[in-house]
Amino acid sequence: MASASSSSARHLFDDSKKRLCARVGVNVNNLGSVARQVVRGSKTNEIMHQTLKNFTQVDVVSDYSNQNLQKMSLILQHVGYQYDVMEDSVNHLDYLKEQVTAMER
């Protein structure tokens, strides 16, 4: 009877050992899943950081572009003024030519 109970205990011990190994295996798989989530989380953080950095750079470039457009608009306005002055000068030259021609007669 002692050997039967010893055999039964051994069988129960082996069964418990298998269940424990299976349970540890499940926990290891869960640990792998958790590790993957942590890696994904850290990658998400890195992606968010890079996105914010890119957005900030685009914002700065946008500001510079806006400033450059304002400067170009001002330059265009000044060129327009200079064109008007030159056109008036050309018209004035035509008038002066007519006067010189009239004086030569």
Side-chain angles (χ1 to χ4, degrees), residues 76-91:
L76 181 63
Q77 189 176 16
H78 285 219
V79 167
Y81 292 150
Q82 290 172 355
Y83 175 80
D84 291 341
V85 168
M86 288 184 342
E87 190 175 35
D88 286 344
S89 295
V90 167
N91 291 337

Side-chain angles (χ1 to χ4, degrees), residues 96-105:
L96 288 176
K97 265 187 194 178
E98 289 174 8
Q99 281 188 346
V100 168
T101 306
M103 287 176 19
E104 288 177 346
R105 292 186 198 159

Side-chain angles (χ1 to χ4, degrees), residues 48-92:
M48 290 295 287
H49 177 71
Q50 187 63 37
T51 302
L52 182 61
K53 185 177 176 182
N54 290 343
F55 181 75
T56 304
Q57 289 174 347
V58 167
D59 192 40
V60 168
V61 169
S62 177
D63 285 344
Y64 285 145
S65 297
N66 187 32
Q67 290 173 2
N68 285 336
L69 282 173
Q70 289 175 350
K71 288 175 184 177
M72 285 192 284
S73 175
L74 188 62
I75 290 171
L76 181 63
Q77 189 176 16
H78 285 219
V79 167
Y81 292 150
Q82 290 172 355
Y83 175 80
D84 291 341
V85 168
M86 288 184 342
E87 190 175 35
D88 286 344
S89 295
V90 167
N91 291 337
H92 191 66

